[in-house]
Amino acid sequence: MLITTRRHFIAAGAAALSHAMIARVASAQTPPASAGPVDPALIDDLVAANRILVDQGVVDGYGHVSVRHPGDPQRYLMSRSIAPELVTAADIMEYDLDSTAVDPRGRTSYLERFIHGEIYRVRPDVKAIVHNHSPSVIPFGVSTVPLKPIYHMSAFLGGGVPVFDIKAAAGGPTDMLVRTPALGRALATTLGARPVALMRGHGCVVVAPAIQMTVFRSVYTEMNARLQAQAMALGPVTYLDDEEARLAGASVGGTVVRPWELWRKKALAR
Amino acid sequence: MLITTRRHFIAAGAAALSHAMIARVASAQTPPASAGPVDPALIDDLVAANRILVDQGVVDGYGHVSVRHPGDPQRYLMSRSIAPELVTAADIMEYDLDSTAVDPRGRTSYLERFIHGEIYRVRPDVKAIVHNHSPSVIPFGVSTVPLKPIYHMSAFLGGGVPVFDIKAAAGGPTDMLVRTPALGRALATTLGARPVALMRGHGCVVVAPAIQMTVFRSVYTEMNARLQAQAMALGPVTYLDDEEARLAGASVGGTVVRPWELWRKKALAR
Amino acid sequence: MLITTRRHFIAAGAAALSHAMIARVASAQTPPASAGPVDPALIDDLVAANRILVDQGVVDGYGHVSVRHPGDPQRYLMSRSIAPELVTAADIMEYDLDSTAVDPRGRTSYLERFIHGEIYRVRPDVKAIVHNHSPSVIPFGVSTVPLKPIYHMSAFLGGGVPVFDIKAAAGGPTDMLVRTPALGRALATTLGARPVALMRGHGCVVVAPAIQMTVFRSVYTEMNARLQAQAMALGPVTYLDDEEARLAGASVGGTVVRPWELWRKKALAR
Amino acid sequence: MLITTRRHFIAAGAAALSHAMIARVASAQTPPASAGPVDPALIDDLVAANRILVDQGVVDGYGHVSVRHPGDPQRYLMSRSIAPELVTAADIMEYDLDSTAVDPRGRTSYLERFIHGEIYRVRPDVKAIVHNHSPSVIPFGVSTVPLKPIYHMSAFLGGGVPVFDIKAAAGGPTDMLVRTPALGRALATTLGARPVALMRGHGCVVVAPAIQMTVFRSVYTEMNARLQAQAMALGPVTYLDDEEARLAGASVGGTVVRPWELWRKKALAR
């Protein structure tokens, strides 16, 4: 029956199907092995990240954040399917890159976990990923106006912010959810080497080489969208030029620990 | 004198008058019988719903939420006339579909309770109703711009969002309040089979097959209005197409428990 | 010297000078007599009003609210010059309609107390007055767009909202403050019989026959301004018509106790 | 090697180089002497200022505020490089006007401290400086629309608000940070005798003769930007004229203690 399902999917013409997916279907039979325990401080950072994203208005009752397993690049860590504000260390689950849970114990997984697995698969530089419905970002995902860096805090947007249209990726209307490896892979392709991709009619995905920076970028992507819309209403806007974006991105990237310490302290104090 | 009042009303040309209304006037003489006690957990949900709508910025000192009596579809439950944030289990009253209180004991009822009774009467699928003055929704009720689903979270808007104009329904200027069964019936007619209707110069009404979903839809109707206005300011907007709205509505509808658990926990912790 | 000052003022051509003002100057020599103690519940209401206006975003560190003395229409009560959020019962002072403090005891008075005294003088129906810099209202005071009732909650705006231009009233540039009886009188003239007047480059003044309603109107003037601006950005707006505004104003006016009970409880709990 | 560095810098064509900078380079060898302890109440004011700017939405995890040393105009006080919300008295460091720390003890300094030193150097009237990324101000820094005083609370903007373009100052793309004395000097030149200068793609700088007023001006610069954008969306705007701005600036300036007392009390109560 699994084979039938797979054949049907192929018949539907999904271009992204691959050997990796076949492997995934097979691996669903046996839970993958754990890559072993991780430093509790990293789990605390992941819990903090969930709460910080709430505090900063980037996620509400939906959205998720993951971190790559420090001991095995083929594994990542993410909460079971609950609202980010409720996440505690006990809710963190381990997944392989097919987004199969190592030890589900009856816990529900986020439907869209394939966003995480498929990006980790093709972006070895990425160590943490946020998927959200960041409010100010939504309008940019449904318009033809590109998101551009309005100030140094969002200089990381300088390489361009692509929009993932799931209808084009799936070849027709869907429920808008990245609920298959093929869709996750298509999103990863749209993202390319960049830090942020918008998702039309849905939200966005944000990646970085560290969880602190992924959270930082999520916060300032929301802020950039809000401020860019306000600036465009005033008239023509001068964005950071490419070189400014590159230089400022590097400089500001080195200061991420400053807000992170504040945010983490407040998030874990609750 | 009741008859005189009724005749005067008929003379004024209200088209919606019917046998049902005559029955209502008669029934006002004797309080209707109670359909019996309900599970305290449902009352808690109703209390939580009131507070959640405050927490989410959907209601302020005004607005009301009701739930259909699980033991009798001819009855519904709603708070006495107080601000939603102050509602406790002791404030919940039972009404019949004429919106007559079963056991008033001197408690004041919301003037606009007929919104609830008349919708429950014609919409057997509806189990909970919210009436609010949700801020971002107000501008759409007084403009010619239709509210449309901008993302999957508000996919339930896909079937269209009608605007109820009380002046047309009443045949002339009113105090804008749905303070009679006839006006409640006219609003129910405008709503039709849909989940949301805007009310020009007033607010909106939101319905669903469960209280959790009615609250969810209220929250994301507000959010959609806010984000749609922002998106329109950027330029042309790509909304969910009909099939996307249908599919996403079904999928997201299945996840409502996720934010509900968060919202309820916080609402009842106070 | 007082006479000289007065003559200089007359020479400057202030049209609003009158016998009342001459009386005021004279009365400044001797503090006016108190109209006697008032019900502590009214003082509590006045303290609550200050805090509610902060909670609702109508005032920040500035703004003031007064209530007419229930025992003597020639007196009013208002806090000494401190931020509204800090006001306690001990800060409430009594003024006559010249805005002279009955018992100053070294306490500083708001520079713009003449707004209150001069409106109470010509509006016997008014029992409470708020002056604020309500944020969403400011843009309407500096534009040519009239504030109009967008929904039933702000139906009281239906009689029109005039804009007071202090430059025209004073015959030239000022420091924008209503710091003299003459300017207070000019503002009262602009207000006329209405509940709200905007003040160009400054804020607004809101009046009503009871303190609960003055607070209510202040809150929903702010809300109307915010929602009207949003609605106008969408396109043409249908406002309440005159009769709707009149009817809704009367109906909603009867429900003011509902939010007031909520607001007062929260304000005094701190 | 220091000389080489300096020569290289000169060769790069920085027009702002001067004897003062040469002195700074030399003084970097030996930490400058302290101007001695200051009244703890001033330190408390500086700590309060950091927190107030957070409470008022003017700074987030970034931004800094300094105060000139009351005992020596050649020294200023500012926190070590941490988020403003976390600043306590123990974090306050002393700097000379070259922005060299008197007693670093391994503590990190803000990269952009030269904003402070270079403005204090050329503006003897300035006793406190805020640098922030105040959200509503950012759009004005990247547009061609000048910030103008919309009401009396922001009358201090009446002399005009220049925009500092770091690309023009540096002669090409930078990382947007004022990380050298030369760039600090160029910013000070753009500021001139005014209280506020915007920084393109970055934020703004606000100065005043007292820390209370610098905080006040920061808060109402943010508010003016927000309200001006709203007013411009309505249509043509009437700003304060030059004389109104001058008169209102003087009058309102005398009332700064009113919000300050409120803000300080709340900030230090945490």
Side-chain angles (χ1 to χ4, degrees), chain B residues 99-136:
Chain B
S99 297
T100 303
V102 163
D103 179 25
R105 283 182 277 140
R107 293 174 292 180
T108 312
S109 291
Y110 290 122
L111 283 172
E112 300 192 285
R113 60 193 178 281
F114 306 104
I115 295 172
H116 302 261
E118 300 305 321
I119 292 175
Y120 284 126
R121 199 191 299 279
V122 298
R123 284 284 299 271
D125 61 308
V126 168
K127 302 294 190 240
I129 300 174
V130 168
H131 166 59
N132 64 53
H133 311 152
S134 190
S136 303

Short mmCIF file of all heavy atoms in Angstrom, two decimals, chain B residues 99-136:
data_model
loop_
_atom_site.label_atom_id
_atom_site.label_comp_id
_atom_site.label_asym_id
_atom_site.label_seq_id
_atom_site.Cartn_x
_atom_site.Cartn_y
_atom_site.Cartn_z
N SER B 99 -34.75 33.76 22.38
CA SER B 99 -33.84 34.57 23.21
C SER B 99 -34.50 35.07 24.49
O SER B 99 -34.19 36.16 25.00
CB SER B 99 -33.23 35.71 22.39
OG SER B 99 -32.43 35.17 21.33
N THR B 100 -35.43 34.27 24.99
CA THR B 100 -36.05 34.53 26.28
C THR B 100 -35.29 33.73 27.33
O THR B 100 -35.03 32.54 27.14
CB THR B 100 -37.52 34.10 26.26
OG1 THR B 100 -38.19 34.79 25.21
CG2 THR B 100 -38.20 34.41 27.59
N ALA B 101 -34.94 34.39 28.41
CA ALA B 101 -34.17 33.73 29.46
C ALA B 101 -35.03 32.72 30.21
O ALA B 101 -36.20 32.99 30.53
CB ALA B 101 -33.61 34.76 30.43
N VAL B 102 -34.47 31.56 30.49
CA VAL B 102 -35.17 30.49 31.20
C VAL B 102 -35.39 30.88 32.66
O VAL B 102 -36.46 30.66 33.22
CB VAL B 102 -34.34 29.18 31.10
CG1 VAL B 102 -34.78 28.17 32.14
CG2 VAL B 102 -34.45 28.61 29.69
N ASP B 103 -34.38 31.47 33.25
CA ASP B 103 -34.44 31.75 34.68
C ASP B 103 -33.72 33.08 34.96
O ASP B 103 -32.62 33.10 35.51
CB ASP B 103 -33.75 30.60 35.44
CG ASP B 103 -33.75 30.83 36.94
OD1 ASP B 103 -34.63 31.56 37.44
OD2 ASP B 103 -32.86 30.26 37.62
N PRO B 104 -34.34 34.19 34.55
CA PRO B 104 -33.62 35.47 34.60
C PRO B 104 -33.21 35.90 36.01
O PRO B 104 -32.15 36.48 36.19
CB PRO B 104 -34.62 36.46 33.99
CG PRO B 104 -35.94 35.78 33.99
CD PRO B 104 -35.69 34.31 33.95
N ARG B 105 -34.03 35.65 37.03
CA ARG B 105 -33.72 36.10 38.39
C ARG B 105 -33.20 37.54 38.42
O ARG B 105 -32.21 37.84 39.11
CB ARG B 105 -32.67 35.17 39.03
CG ARG B 105 -33.27 33.84 39.51
CD ARG B 105 -32.21 32.98 40.18
NE ARG B 105 -31.42 32.23 39.22
CZ ARG B 105 -30.10 32.02 39.31
NH1 ARG B 105 -29.42 32.51 40.33
NH2 ARG B 105 -29.48 31.33 38.40
N GLY B 106 -33.82 38.40 37.63
CA GLY B 106 -33.46 39.82 37.67
C GLY B 106 -32.20 40.18 36.93
O GLY B 106 -31.79 41.34 36.90
N ARG B 107 -31.55 39.18 36.36
CA ARG B 107 -30.33 39.47 35.62
C ARG B 107 -30.65 40.11 34.26
O ARG B 107 -31.62 39.73 33.60
CB ARG B 107 -29.52 38.18 35.43
CG ARG B 107 -28.99 37.64 36.75
CD ARG B 107 -28.32 36.28 36.57
NE ARG B 107 -29.29 35.24 36.22
CZ ARG B 107 -28.97 33.95 36.01
NH1 ARG B 107 -27.70 33.57 36.13
NH2 ARG B 107 -29.87 33.08 35.71
N THR B 108 -29.83 41.06 33.84
CA THR B 108 -30.03 41.75 32.57
C THR B 108 -29.46 40.92 31.43
O THR B 108 -28.40 40.32 31.57
CB THR B 108 -29.30 43.11 32.59
OG1 THR B 108 -29.63 43.78 33.81
CG2 THR B 108 -29.72 43.97 31.41
N SER B 109 -30.17 40.89 30.32
CA SER B 109 -29.69 40.18 29.13
C SER B 109 -29.12 41.18 28.13
O SER B 109 -29.51 42.34 28.09
CB SER B 109 -30.86 39.42 28.48
OG SER B 109 -31.28 38.35 29.29
N TYR B 110 -28.19 40.70 27.30
CA TYR B 110 -27.67 41.53 26.21
C TYR B 110 -28.82 41.92 25.30
O TYR B 110 -29.64 41.08 24.91
CB TYR B 110 -26.63 40.74 25.40
CG TYR B 110 -25.33 40.47 26.13
CD1 TYR B 110 -24.87 39.17 26.31
CD2 TYR B 110 -24.54 41.52 26.61
CE1 TYR B 110 -23.67 38.91 26.97
CE2 TYR B 110 -23.33 41.27 27.27
CZ TYR B 110 -22.90 39.96 27.44
OH TYR B 110 -21.72 39.71 28.09
N LEU B 111 -28.88 43.20 24.94
CA LEU B 111 -29.93 43.69 24.05
C LEU B 111 -29.95 42.93 22.72
O LEU B 111 -30.99 42.75 22.12
CB LEU B 111 -29.69 45.18 23.75
CG LEU B 111 -30.07 46.17 24.84
CD1 LEU B 111 -29.60 47.57 24.44
CD2 LEU B 111 -31.58 46.16 25.07
N GLU B 112 -28.77 42.52 22.28
CA GLU B 112 -28.67 41.93 20.95
C GLU B 112 -28.63 40.40 20.97
O GLU B 112 -28.14 39.78 20.03
CB GLU B 112 -27.42 42.46 20.26
CG GLU B 112 -27.44 43.97 20.10
CD GLU B 112 -26.34 44.44 19.18
OE1 GLU B 112 -25.17 44.45 19.61
OE2 GLU B 112 -26.64 44.78 18.04
N ARG B 113 -29.22 39.80 22.01
CA ARG B 113 -29.18 38.34 22.10
C ARG B 113 -29.90 37.67 20.92
O ARG B 113 -29.67 36.50 20.63
CB ARG B 113 -29.78 37.88 23.42
CG ARG B 113 -31.23 38.29 23.64
CD ARG B 113 -31.65 38.07 25.10
NE ARG B 113 -33.02 38.50 25.34
CZ ARG B 113 -33.42 39.77 25.51
NH1 ARG B 113 -32.53 40.76 25.47
NH2 ARG B 113 -34.68 40.05 25.73
N PHE B 114 -30.75 38.43 20.22
CA PHE B 114 -31.50 37.85 19.09
C PHE B 114 -30.56 37.43 17.95
O PHE B 114 -30.91 36.58 17.14
CB PHE B 114 -32.56 38.85 18.60
CG PHE B 114 -33.44 39.29 19.72
CD1 PHE B 114 -33.30 40.54 20.31
CD2 PHE B 114 -34.40 38.42 20.25
CE1 PHE B 114 -34.09 40.94 21.38
CE2 PHE B 114 -35.19 38.81 21.34
CZ PHE B 114 -35.04 40.08 21.89
N ILE B 115 -29.36 38.03 17.91
CA ILE B 115 -28.35 37.54 16.95
C ILE B 115 -28.14 36.05 17.14
O ILE B 115 -28.12 35.27 16.18
CB ILE B 115 -26.99 38.28 17.16
CG1 ILE B 115 -27.12 39.77 16.84
CG2 ILE B 115 -25.89 37.61 16.37
CD1 ILE B 115 -25.88 40.58 17.20
N HIS B 116 -28.04 35.65 18.38
CA HIS B 116 -27.74 34.25 18.70
C HIS B 116 -28.94 33.35 18.42
O HIS B 116 -28.84 32.36 17.70
CB HIS B 116 -27.29 34.15 20.16
CG HIS B 116 -26.09 35.00 20.45
ND1 HIS B 116 -24.81 34.50 20.50
CD2 HIS B 116 -25.97 36.34 20.68
CE1 HIS B 116 -23.95 35.50 20.75
NE2 HIS B 116 -24.64 36.62 20.87
N GLY B 117 -30.09 33.71 19.03
CA GLY B 117 -31.26 32.85 18.89
C GLY B 117 -31.67 32.61 17.44
O GLY B 117 -31.97 31.48 17.03
N GLU B 118 -31.65 33.68 16.66
CA GLU B 118 -32.14 33.54 15.28
C GLU B 118 -31.16 32.79 14.39
O GLU B 118 -31.57 32.12 13.44
CB GLU B 118 -32.49 34.92 14.71
CG GLU B 118 -33.57 35.66 15.50
CD GLU B 118 -34.87 34.84 15.66
OE1 GLU B 118 -35.26 34.16 14.70
OE2 GLU B 118 -35.47 34.90 16.76
N ILE B 119 -29.87 32.90 14.68
CA ILE B 119 -28.92 32.10 13.89
C ILE B 119 -28.99 30.63 14.28
O ILE B 119 -29.02 29.75 13.43
CB ILE B 119 -27.47 32.66 14.03
CG1 ILE B 119 -27.37 34.02 13.35
CG2 ILE B 119 -26.46 31.68 13.44
CD1 ILE B 119 -26.03 34.71 13.51
N TYR B 120 -29.08 30.36 15.59
CA TYR B 120 -29.22 28.95 16.00
C TYR B 120 -30.47 28.32 15.37
O TYR B 120 -30.49 27.15 15.02
CB TYR B 120 -29.31 28.84 17.53
CG TYR B 120 -28.00 29.02 18.25
CD1 TYR B 120 -27.86 29.97 19.27
CD2 TYR B 120 -26.89 28.24 17.93
CE1 TYR B 120 -26.66 30.14 19.94
CE2 TYR B 120 -25.67 28.40 18.60
CZ TYR B 120 -25.56 29.36 19.60
OH TYR B 120 -24.37 29.52 20.26
N ARG B 121 -31.52 29.13 15.23
CA ARG B 121 -32.78 28.61 14.69
C ARG B 121 -32.63 28.07 13.27
O ARG B 121 -33.18 27.02 12.94
CB ARG B 121 -33.84 29.72 14.72
CG ARG B 121 -35.27 29.21 14.62
CD ARG B 121 -36.27 30.33 14.39
NE ARG B 121 -36.35 31.36 15.42
CZ ARG B 121 -37.03 31.24 16.58
NH1 ARG B 121 -37.67 30.13 16.87
NH2 ARG B 121 -37.03 32.24 17.45
N VAL B 122 -31.87 28.81 12.44
CA VAL B 122 -31.79 28.43 11.03
C VAL B 122 -30.49 27.73 10.64
O VAL B 122 -30.32 27.35 9.49
CB VAL B 122 -31.99 29.66 10.12
CG1 VAL B 122 -33.38 30.25 10.37
CG2 VAL B 122 -30.91 30.72 10.37
N ARG B 123 -29.59 27.60 11.59
CA ARG B 123 -28.29 26.98 11.27
C ARG B 123 -28.02 25.83 12.23
O ARG B 123 -27.26 25.98 13.21
CB ARG B 123 -27.15 28.01 11.37
CG ARG B 123 -27.06 28.99 10.22
CD ARG B 123 -26.45 28.37 8.95
NE ARG B 123 -25.10 27.88 9.16
CZ ARG B 123 -24.00 28.63 8.98
NH1 ARG B 123 -24.09 29.88 8.58
NH2 ARG B 123 -22.82 28.10 9.18
N PRO B 124 -28.64 24.65 12.00
CA PRO B 124 -28.44 23.53 12.93
C PRO B 124 -26.98 23.12 13.07
O PRO B 124 -26.61 22.53 14.09
CB PRO B 124 -29.28 22.41 12.33
CG PRO B 124 -29.64 22.84 10.95
CD PRO B 124 -29.59 24.32 10.92
N ASP B 125 -26.15 23.43 12.08
CA ASP B 125 -24.73 23.06 12.16
C ASP B 125 -23.97 23.94 13.14
O ASP B 125 -22.85 23.58 13.55
CB ASP B 125 -24.09 23.21 10.77
CG ASP B 125 -24.17 24.66 10.25
OD1 ASP B 125 -25.29 25.23 10.24
OD2 ASP B 125 -23.13 25.23 9.89
N VAL B 126 -24.53 25.06 13.51
CA VAL B 126 -23.80 26.02 14.36
C VAL B 126 -23.97 25.68 15.83
O VAL B 126 -25.08 25.52 16.32
CB VAL B 126 -24.30 27.46 14.08
CG1 VAL B 126 -23.78 28.43 15.14
CG2 VAL B 126 -23.87 27.90 12.69
N LYS B 127 -22.84 25.58 16.53
CA LYS B 127 -22.87 25.25 17.95
C LYS B 127 -22.38 26.40 18.83
O LYS B 127 -22.50 26.34 20.06
CB LYS B 127 -22.00 24.01 18.24
CG LYS B 127 -22.42 22.76 17.45
CD LYS B 127 -23.78 22.24 17.87
CE LYS B 127 -24.07 20.87 17.24
NZ LYS B 127 -25.27 20.90 16.39
N ALA B 128 -21.79 27.42 18.24
CA ALA B 128 -21.31 28.56 19.03
C ALA B 128 -21.25 29.80 18.15
O ALA B 128 -20.98 29.70 16.95
CB ALA B 128 -19.94 28.27 19.62
N ILE B 129 -21.53 30.95 18.77
CA ILE B 129 -21.62 32.22 18.03
C ILE B 129 -20.91 33.32 18.82
O ILE B 129 -21.08 33.42 20.03
CB ILE B 129 -23.10 32.62 17.83
CG1 ILE B 129 -23.84 31.54 17.02
CG2 ILE B 129 -23.22 33.98 17.16
CD1 ILE B 129 -25.35 31.77 16.89
N VAL B 130 -20.15 34.12 18.10
CA VAL B 130 -19.55 35.32 18.68
C VAL B 130 -20.08 36.54 17.96
O VAL B 130 -20.13 36.57 16.73
CB VAL B 130 -18.00 35.29 18.57
CG1 VAL B 130 -17.40 36.66 18.90
CG2 VAL B 130 -17.40 34.23 19.47
N HIS B 131 -20.46 37.55 18.73
CA HIS B 131 -20.72 38.88 18.15
C HIS B 131 -19.70 39.84 18.74
O HIS B 131 -19.52 39.89 19.96
CB HIS B 131 -22.13 39.37 18.47
CG HIS B 131 -22.30 40.84 18.19
ND1 HIS B 131 -22.10 41.38 16.94
CD2 HIS B 131 -22.60 41.88 19.01
CE1 HIS B 131 -22.29 42.68 17.00
NE2 HIS B 131 -22.59 43.02 18.22
N ASN B 132 -19.03 40.57 17.88
CA ASN B 132 -17.99 41.48 18.37
C ASN B 132 -17.89 42.75 17.55
O ASN B 132 -18.53 42.87 16.49
CB ASN B 132 -16.63 40.76 18.38
CG ASN B 132 -16.18 40.39 16.98
OD1 ASN B 132 -16.12 41.23 16.08
ND2 ASN B 132 -15.86 39.12 16.76
N HIS B 133 -17.07 43.69 18.04
CA HIS B 133 -16.74 44.93 17.32
C HIS B 133 -15.25 44.90 16.99
O HIS B 133 -14.54 45.90 17.14
CB HIS B 133 -17.07 46.16 18.17
CG HIS B 133 -18.43 46.16 18.79
ND1 HIS B 133 -18.72 46.82 19.95
CD2 HIS B 133 -19.59 45.56 18.40
CE1 HIS B 133 -20.01 46.63 20.26
NE2 HIS B 133 -20.55 45.87 19.34
N SER B 134 -14.80 43.76 16.58
CA SER B 134 -13.39 43.49 16.25
C SER B 134 -12.79 44.65 15.45
O SER B 134 -13.19 44.92 14.31
CB SER B 134 -13.41 42.21 15.41
OG SER B 134 -12.13 41.69 15.20
N PRO B 135 -11.77 45.35 15.99
CA PRO B 135 -11.40 46.65 15.40
C PRO B 135 -11.04 46.63 13.91
O PRO B 135 -11.57 47.45 13.15
CB PRO B 135 -10.20 47.09 16.24
CG PRO B 135 -10.13 46.21 17.42
CD PRO B 135 -11.01 45.01 17.19
N SER B 136 -10.16 45.73 13.49
CA SER B 136 -9.72 45.77 12.10
C SER B 136 -10.83 45.41 11.13
O SER B 136 -10.72 45.66 9.93
CB SER B 136 -8.54 44.82 11.89
OG SER B 136 -7.49 45.15 12.77
#
